[in-house]
Amino acid sequence: MGNEHRLLALLVCLVLGTGLTAAVLGATRAAGSRQASVAGATVDIRRVAPAAPVPAGADSSPGSVTVDCGRNEEGHWNEDNLVVSPGLRSGAHHTHAYVGNLSTDALSTDASLAGAATSCAGGDRSTYYWPVLRRVDRPGSGPHEHSAGHGNTGEILPEASVSVEFRGSPVSKVVPMPRFLRAMTGDAVAYTAGARADVRARWGCTGFPDRSTTDYPRCPPGSLVTRTLVFPSCWNGLDTTAPDHRSHLLFPSARGVCPQGTFPVPELRLSLAYAVAPGVPIALDSFPEQRHSPRTDHAMFVDVMTDAQMDAVVTCLNEGRECRT
């Protein structure tokens, strides 16, 4: 009987050991699979050539306005996209992070946004949002670290800083944006489309403000990974949105000149920074076929500033001052 007990115990240990080994190997392979599925090269930021600044003309609006909206300390995330897919829950198929309006989701309306609370210190109820960035070597345990689906899993990297800034035009004065203007920048399907016309996000590292890339950057120790998302700033003067989400608000030329029939409005610039140690694998949330390519980075904005708030922004820009709200 003693031998039978020892044999049974040995069999139990073998079964448990085999199960544990399989679990470890499965987790390792899953992590490796997530890392292997990320498209795009990484670039040493020190090897990127500095960009030349755009010279400002005599009639420019050289001011800047920084809107203090925090860095999503509230944990406002969802898989919605109010600008592109209004009314459709989980229409983004990936997770967005927000600052500004604390109520924003797929079912938001102009009225609900205008009456909601905000993370912006000066009372701006506009909504600013972008896809989250993840560590793919860590599974994460939060509700949005596995619920987005479509291959978007992993620990969400918190933003170390978020800058919401409006700038003027290098060639002319700017006019106010209309309230409830919808805007987007970037191309969420750039990887499969193969086109670069709408690839707008620039990746970089702190300490190298004049260098950027459309690939994932490799930053030196102590430097933060950055994402800079610049929005179009030439409004058609009529519409707050368009069927393609783009044609009512266009980008100026490389010299800052707006296309004929459009008017220069304040240029929104979102700058995000993340603490990422060298060698840590990261991935941008994306549609599954886009394989987390950094070139698919994008962001959205709904202007919910009051007329008085927008007028103050325009005045500051046109007078060439540096303002903070």
Side-chain angles (χ1 to χ4, degrees), residues 262-287:
T262 64
F263 305 89
V265 295
E267 176 195 84
L268 171 60
R269 180 178 297 246
L270 297 178
S271 301
L272 317 173
Y274 303 84
V276 181
V280 169
I282 57 175
L284 181 74
D285 262 27
S286 72
F287 296 115

Side-chain angles (χ1 to χ4, degrees), residues 107-193:
L107 304 183
S108 294
T109 63
D110 291 352
S112 70
L113 292 172
T118 179
S119 69
C120 301
D124 175 17
R125 290 184 170 87
S126 300
T127 183
Y128 309 88
Y129 61 101
W130 53 86
V132 299
L133 190 64
R134 300 179 189 265
R135 280 191 65 158
V136 296
D137 61 336
R138 290 184 178 176
S141 58
H144 294 281
E145 292 178 324
H146 54 77
S147 66
H150 302 280
N152 294 301
T153 60
E155 181 183 279
I156 293 175
L157 284 168
E159 287 77 13
S161 67
V162 175
S163 171
V164 178
E165 181 186 14
F166 290 92
R167 295 186 181 183
S169 164
V171 297
S172 68
K173 304 303 181 187
V174 295
V175 299
M177 293 179 178
R179 198 177 193 199
F180 304 118
L181 177 72
R182 268 74 168 161
M184 68 177 296
T185 184
D187 185 357
V189 296
Y191 179 72
T192 53

Side-chain angles (χ1 to χ4, degrees), residues 51 53-54 63-67 99 128 130 162-170 177 185 200-202 209-210 212 227-233 251-252 265-272 299-301 317:
V54 178
S64 67
V65 177
T66 300
V67 184
V99 296
Y128 309 88
W130 53 86
V162 175
S163 171
V164 178
E165 181 186 14
F166 290 92
R167 295 186 181 183
S169 164
M177 293 179 178
T185 184
R200 297 289 176 175
R202 295 296 181 265
D210 57 349
S212 64
R227 299 160 63 187
T228 303
L229 298 129
V230 178
F231 282 73
S233 55
F251 281 93
V265 295
E267 176 195 84
L268 171 60
R269 180 178 297 246
L270 297 178
S271 301
L272 317 173
M300 275 66 62
F301 161 63
L317 299 179

Side-chain angles (χ1 to χ4, degrees), residues 178 181 235-241 248 261 263:
L181 177 72
W235 176 48
N236 69 4
L238 298 172
D239 305 306
T240 56
T241 189
H248 65 302
F263 305 89

